[in-house]
Amino acid sequence: MRLEAARGNRSGLLTAITCVQKVNRELDCSLEIETSQLINELLNGSGTPVRKAL
């Protein structure tokens, strides 16, 4: 998702998001909070999120 967003490929971003959502539905589980936040950040164009160091 980050790669497609960084490339400015909105169609690719939407395809990647759809794929992640489909897999989660098939596994009958919710998206992680961090994944939902990342999707929102990428879709709303708030810049490329910086990964936090562990």
Side-chain angles (χ1 to χ4, degrees):
M1 291 184 296
R2 284 188 175 111
L3 177 62
E4 298 298 352
R7 293 178 62 213
N9 183 1
R10 186 152 179 96
S11 175
L13 172 59
L14 293 174
T15 299
I17 291 169
T18 300
C19 183
V20 168
Q21 291 170 332
K22 180 182 178 213
V23 168
N24 277 7
R25 274 194 307 273
E26 289 173 359
L27 296 173
D28 194 28
C29 62
S30 301
L31 289 174
E32 294 286 330
I33 292 171
E34 295 84 358
T35 305
S36 295
Q37 290 172 342
L38 175 63
I39 289 170
N40 287 332
E41 289 172 6
L42 295 175
L43 288 176
N44 294 323
S46 60
T48 303
V50 177
R51 282 188 135 171
K52 295 179 185 174
L54 299 177

